[in-house]
Amino acid sequence: LIDRLISAIRSEGLTVGVICVDPSSPVTGGAVLGDRIRMERHYSDEGVFIRSMASRGEQGGVAKVVGAAVELLGACGRDVVIVETVGVGQEGIEVTRLVDVTVLVLEPGSCDGMQLMKAGILEVADVVVVNKSDLGHGGSAEGIREILSAGKRERRQPVVETEAVNDVGVDVLWREVKAVDDERRRS
């Protein structure tokens, strides 16, 4: 999904920095740092910088250096900085303090509505994405919309369905991210 999102951003002539945070092994402390392999078509593009980092066992899946890396990429003139985390759980929302727009990516049928409400991750998401929507499990996006409609946020988060492998819906995702960012900058 990030690979396709990079393409959408670059099509507008914007530069991109990507920080991919991979989980560290609780046994060895090592990390595979393999997410950037999925983005290899962007390696020769000088407008894209991709850096993998290990979570280093930090709670919330974000190493302490990620905040500094986000600031550095911004200071180096990257128009958009994407931070991919190891994922969030009931307390893993530290990334929301480091980014302007938080995107929650789910897979169809990956969890039930009660789990989503209990985890609280829908509360911090600015945009919700159901990726791999081509896999079926119909109703995932609609179920999420229903849960969000019961929330008390002033602005209801958009729910976008994507099929990253087929480049479907990624342009809609990028538009929604920009809309949230533009709204925040105006207020």
Side-chain angles (χ1 to χ4, degrees):
L1 183 59
I2 292 174
D3 177 68
R4 297 296 185 155
L5 192 55
I6 292 169
S7 294
I9 296 165
R10 290 295 290 143
S11 73
E12 294 182 9
L14 300 171
T15 58
V16 184
V18 181
I19 301 167
C20 301
V21 183
D22 286 331
S24 297
S25 165
V27 176
T28 65
V32 175
L33 305 179
D35 287 331
R36 62 184 169 183
I37 292 170
R38 293 187 183 112
M39 297 175 244
E40 66 183 285
R41 68 186 171 131
H42 299 290
Y43 283 158
S44 61
D45 183 347
E46 290 185 15
V48 178
F49 179 83
I50 302 169
R51 173 75 163 105
S52 293
M53 297 181 170
S55 66
R56 299 184 180 148
E58 292 294 322
Q59 292 298 318
V62 178
K64 291 177 183 172
V65 297
V66 172
V70 168
E71 287 182 32
L72 181 63
L73 287 171
C76 289
R78 294 295 158 172
D79 299 309
V80 178
V81 178
I82 298 170
V83 178
E84 180 210 31
T85 68
V86 298
V88 296
Q90 290 181 315
E91 297 183 19
I93 59 170
E94 285 78 7
V95 71
T96 61
R97 294 183 194 100
L98 306 175
V99 297
D100 296 326
V101 179
T102 303
V103 177
L104 173 63
V105 181
L106 303 169
E107 292 181 13
S110 61
C111 55
D112 63 43
M114 187 57 68
Q115 279 302 110
L116 285 173
M117 288 188 297
K118 202 167 81 173
I121 55 178
L122 286 177
E123 295 171 336
V124 299
D126 297 307
V127 178
V128 179
V129 179
V130 179
N131 192 30
K132 302 180 183 180
S133 60
D134 55 313
L135 296 181
H137 305 286
S140 290
E142 192 54 42
I144 292 167
R145 286 183 189 100
E146 287 176 25
I147 293 168
L148 292 172
S149 70
K152 298 184 187 230
R153 284 183 66 149
E154 201 170 293
R155 180 187 189 277
R156 186 166 304 138
Q157 306 96 310
V159 179
V160 179
E161 294 180 79
T162 61
E163 296 173 29
V165 70
N166 298 316
D167 201 17
V168 173
V170 179
D171 55 337
V172 176
L173 169 59
W174 176 232
R175 276 197 308 270
E176 293 294 352
V177 168
K178 289 190 303 185
V180 170
D181 189 50
D182 288 347
E183 185 178 306
R184 290 224 168 109
R185 290 178 193 275
R186 285 192 304 268
S187 42

